[in-house]
Amino acid sequence: QVTLRESGPALVKPTQTLTLTCTFSGFSLSTSGMCVSWIRQPPGKALEWLALIDSADDKYYLPSLKTRLTISRDTSKNQVVLRMTNVDPVDTATYYCVRTYWNTHQEFDFWGQGSLVTISS
Amino acid sequence: QSALTQPASVSGSPGQSITVSCTGTSSDVGGYNLVSWYQQHPGKAPKFIIYEVSKRPSGVSNRFSGSKSGNTASLTISGLQAEDEADYYCCSYAGNSIRVFGGGTKVTVL
């Protein structure tokens, strides 16, 4: 059974760095074709893909946020971490950790429950 | 990459069929057969319902179907039911491992 769970702070001050952790089970990020992405959704707004890390440890970012994002993994702990620097109130959103199995193009087939992060002083 | 274009809302009566469109460009929707769709009920995480334009994951009702023509993908819900009332999002691969979502469509069952 595949599960993903996001964890991190609920409140972050502007200009600080946000660090979110995704802990997953039921699959291995070392398996060829496995990927984990971070996707966010501001309140009442649309989904936005942010970053992806794959089984080869290659990393990809939304171009408009690339300078502020870092995605990394710890395969021994089954965790993926997203860091976002210099946060702003517009970064207030629910952040989701999501799996893709690229070998069968099953894009975002399993989602975490989401972690609501508010950026405010 | 700009967001894919979806209608803000679509509505239909129970039993009817409705179609949600998702328009992109030749760099995303038109360039790859890698469009997926997600259903999101209020306060819940999205649910994966279509991938590779028209494939249904195991367990997803066959009332959901997908298609594509040129730069526009479509999700059709047939035999509309009250439980289908939700927000629907399309997503496309856009090359270089980039993904782009649509703005979302609110489906209302009258």
Side-chain angles (χ1 to χ4, degrees), chain A:
Chain A
Q1 180 189 1
V2 173
T3 65
L4 304 101
R5 186 181 76 250
E6 305 86 355
S7 59
L11 181 65
V12 180
K13 289 181 168 49
T15 76
Q16 290 188 338
T17 295
L18 167 64
T19 301
L20 292 167
T21 300
C22 171
T23 304
F24 57 87
S25 63
F27 68 96
S28 172
L29 198 44
S30 298
T31 300
S32 175
M34 285 297 178
C35 312
V36 172
S37 286
W38 286 93
I39 292 169
R40 71 179 178 181
Q41 185 173 37
K45 296 189 178 181
L47 300 167
E48 181 178 47
W49 176 82
L50 298 176
L52 177 149
I53 190 165
D54 66 16
S55 55
D57 203 24
D58 291 323
K59 299 144 188 173
Y60 304 92
Y61 300 98
L62 180 68
S64 59
L65 291 176
K66 185 173 183 176
T67 59
R68 298 174 52 210
L69 296 175
T70 303
I71 191 170
S72 61
R73 69 181 191 177
D74 184 332
T75 51
S76 66
K77 293 182 179 179
N78 280 352
Q79 291 182 332
V80 171
V81 174
L82 180 75
R83 294 179 68 249
M84 177 183 288
T85 60
N86 193 26
V87 297
D88 181 270
V90 300
D91 297 313
T92 293
T94 295
Y95 287 77
Y96 293 100
C97 170
V98 192
R99 189 190 88 154
T100 288
Y101 186 40
W102 192 239
N103 286 6
T104 54
H105 295 143
Q106 290 179 276
E107 184 84 279
F108 310 143
D109 57 353
F110 290 93
W111 295 64
Q113 85 280 7
S115 178
L116 176 59
V117 180
T118 300
I119 310 300
S120 175
S121 55

Side-chain angles (χ1 to χ4, degrees), chain B residues 4-7 20-24 29 35 37 71-74 90-91 102:
Chain B
L4 307 176
T5 300
Q6 297 182 234
V20 179
S21 61
C22 170
T23 300
V29 174
V35 175
W37 289 89
N71 296 336
T72 298
S74 298
C90 62
C91 180

Side-chain angles (χ1 to χ4, degrees), chain B residues 80-91:
Chain B
L80 198 62
Q81 299 180 359
E83 68 207 49
D84 300 330
E85 186 161 294
D87 293 328
Y88 291 82
Y89 292 92
C90 62
C91 180

